[in-house]
């Protein structure tokens, strides 16, 4: 059997969201919508929903919440046999208010003393978990949770490299989580910890602002255009500015094979524009998506339903496309991924429940949203 399994490693949480666009204080006491989510599990689920093979590795409490979470992932086709169950710790959770118009969305984390954050890397069955694996997916979120979680993420990356498994890392800088070393500022702690992980990374997912936060690679908004989640990206020289930023990352970390940026323009909580860039170090070539007549033309998403998990949907679709005939060249894979990320904004919850044909239709240029009969 070919090695094409995407293995996600990280923490999954109970997601508790206020119904519709209501605020948490409007709902409590009352009812919240409950599900499960986490960056790495979202990516594994996205791969499985599209028809690929994925596996998830984490540690969950040995109770009914852990049971429900395992069943949730298995329902999407994610392989769950290497999830570690433990009597130590608890299920992490987070609360979310969905933003609308000029009111931003808000996330409140409740993750301390979780089972995952208290489990060492050596506790997992890496021999089995990485069997037939093409990719190990990690993020900058899990190492932010605790010293043990940071150690476990580095341990996982080392185990992958020892077995010839490529490592995909999404920097995903969350300043509010990097607080486990009193007296050390979040960026300083993130740079030190992620600096030890970066030598094992083959595919880096990020944006220029996160690269500056976590890797210390300068991003000058005045000369290159403003990146991350703001700015009129379509009004700046995309290939020059973002390509230059990606090359800087490649120069600082020449072991990386590809650098991928998601490029988001946040005009309001309900209206974003979305595109992406892929820089291939071996060919020194920059790819952009989506394209219309060969020119960069980001998706205009003017009625966002749920933004959380869209970056994970993009990552999962990218990894899926890289192992799918007819989608596996850089331009096709990037176009497929950004189309999947766009569609993820139309679906409540963190899991991107879209089919390959739906993604390919949008990637091919059908932006009409007409009813399919």
């Amino acid at each position: 059997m070919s090695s094409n399994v995407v293995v996600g490693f990280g923490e999954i949480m109970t997601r508790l969201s206020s119904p519709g666009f209501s605020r948490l204080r409007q709902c409590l006491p009352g009812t919240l919508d409950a599900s499960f989510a986490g960056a790495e599990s979202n990516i594994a689920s996205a791969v499985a929903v599209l028809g690929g093979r994925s596996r998830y590795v984490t540690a969950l409490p040995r109770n009914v919440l852990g049971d429900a979470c395992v069943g949730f992932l298995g329902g999407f086709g994610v392989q769950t046999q290497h999830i570690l169950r433990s009597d130590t710790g608890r299920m992490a959770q987070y609360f979310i208010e969905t933003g609308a118009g000029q009111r931003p969305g808000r996330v409140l984390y409740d993750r301390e003393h979780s089972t995952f954050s208290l489990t060492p890397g050596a506790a997992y069955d890496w021999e089995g978990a990485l069997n037939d694996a093409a990719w190990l997916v990690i993020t900058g979120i899990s190492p932010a949770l605790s010293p043990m979680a940071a150690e476990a993420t580095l341990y996982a990356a080392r185990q992958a490299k020892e077995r010839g498994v490529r490592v995909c890392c999404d920097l995903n800088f969350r300043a509010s989580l990097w607080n486990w070393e009193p007296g050390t500022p979040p960026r300083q702690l993130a740079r030190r910890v992620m600096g030890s992980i970066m030598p094992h990374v083959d595919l880096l997912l990020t944006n220029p602002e996160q690269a500056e936060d976590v890797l210390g690679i300068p991003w000058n908004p005045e000369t290159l255009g403003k990146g991350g989640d703001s700015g009129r990206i379509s009004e700046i020289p995309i290939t020059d500015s973002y390509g230059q930023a990606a090359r800087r990352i490649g120069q600082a970390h020449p072991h990386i094979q590809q650098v991928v940026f998601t490029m988001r323009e946040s005009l309001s909580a309900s209206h974003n524009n979305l595109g992406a860039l892929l820089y291939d170090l071996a060919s020194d070539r920059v790819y952009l998506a989506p394209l219309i007549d060969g020119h960069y033309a980001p998706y205009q998403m003017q009625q966002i339903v749920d933004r959380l998990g869209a970056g994970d949907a993009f990552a999962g679709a990218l990894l899926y496309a890289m192992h799918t005939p007819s989608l596996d060249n850089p331009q096709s894979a990037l176009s497929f991924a950004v189309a999947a990320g766009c569609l993820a904004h139309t679906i409540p919850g963190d899991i991107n429940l879209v089919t390959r044909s739906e993604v390919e239709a949008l990637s091919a240029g059908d932006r009409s949203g007409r009813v399919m009969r």
Side-chain angles (χ1 to χ4, degrees), residues 60-353:
L60 291 174
R62 203 189 316 270
N63 59 29
V64 66
L65 290 177
D67 295 343
C69 185
V70 172
F72 172 81
L73 293 170
F76 296 116
V78 177
Q79 298 174 22
T80 60
Q81 65 268 37
H82 295 286
I83 292 178
L84 180 68
R85 306 300 297 275
S86 172
D87 295 318
T88 301
R90 67 180 185 89
M91 190 85 186
Q93 60 184 358
Y94 76 104
F95 300 82
I96 176 175
E97 293 179 347
T98 300
Q102 281 63 49
R103 176 173 61 83
R106 295 188 181 278
V107 171
L108 173 65
Y109 290 117
D110 178 20
R111 307 177 73 157
E112 290 189 81
H113 310 298
S114 67
T115 300
F116 178 83
S117 69
L118 298 174
T119 302
Y124 300 94
D125 174 21
W126 292 111
E127 187 65 36
L130 294 173
N131 181 45
D132 290 328
W135 291 96
L136 172 71
V137 178
I138 58 176
T139 73
I141 296 177
S142 293
L145 301 177
S146 70
M148 188 71 76
E151 174 275 331
T153 305
L154 177 58
Y155 190 96
R158 287 173 171 167
Q159 291 293 310
K161 298 308 288 185
E162 288 177 6
R163 292 168 171 78
V165 177
R166 287 175 289 178
V167 175
C168 170
C169 179
D170 190 335
L171 282 186
N172 265 340
F173 179 62
R174 302 288 187 267
S176 63
L177 294 177
W178 285 98
N179 58 14
W180 50 258
E181 189 172 273
T184 303
R187 283 172 179 78
Q188 183 178 329
L189 182 57
R191 287 185 184 184
R192 191 182 77 222
V193 172
M194 296 307 296
S196 67
I197 294 172
M198 283 299 296
H200 306 286
V201 174
D202 299 284
L203 171 63
L204 182 68
L205 308 178
T206 185
N207 62 50
E209 286 184 337
Q210 288 187 352
E212 181 170 15
D213 286 332
V214 180
L215 305 180
I217 297 174
W219 167 250
N220 188 335
E222 294 183 359
T223 60
L224 296 179
K226 194 171 184 180
D229 288 349
S230 58
R232 296 282 184 160
I233 295 174
S234 58
E235 296 174 3
I236 64 176
I238 294 294
T239 303
D240 292 342
S241 60
Y242 278 73
Q244 182 181 348
R247 286 187 176 93
R248 287 179 177 175
I249 295 174
Q251 290 165 0
H253 301 277
H255 57 279
I256 292 176
Q257 297 173 11
Q258 293 172 321
V259 176
V260 177
F261 290 161
T262 49
M263 302 188 297
R264 178 189 297 273
E265 302 170 74
S266 290
L267 305 178
S268 75
S270 306
H271 181 189
N272 289 188
N273 295 337
L274 185 69
L277 174 150
L278 184 151
Y279 171 58
D280 183 78
L281 273 71
S283 63
D284 190 31
R285 183 172 175 182
V286 171
Y287 300 85
L288 296 168
L291 302 176
I292 295 181
D293 296 329
H295 298 286
Y296 176 69
Y299 292 115
Q300 298 184 30
M301 307 175 299
Q302 300 185 33
Q303 294 178 317
I304 293 175
V305 172
D306 191 336
R307 174 174 159 176
L308 265 68
D312 306 326
F314 169 90
L318 181 67
L319 294 171
Y320 168 80
M322 286 179 169
H323 292 278
T324 302
S326 78
L327 295 175
D328 56 358
N329 68 79
Q331 185 63 61
S332 296
L334 187 67
S335 297
F336 183 86
V338 76
C342 174
L343 290 173
H345 289 77
T346 70
I347 299 173
D350 280 56
I351 308 303
N352 196 22
L353 296 172

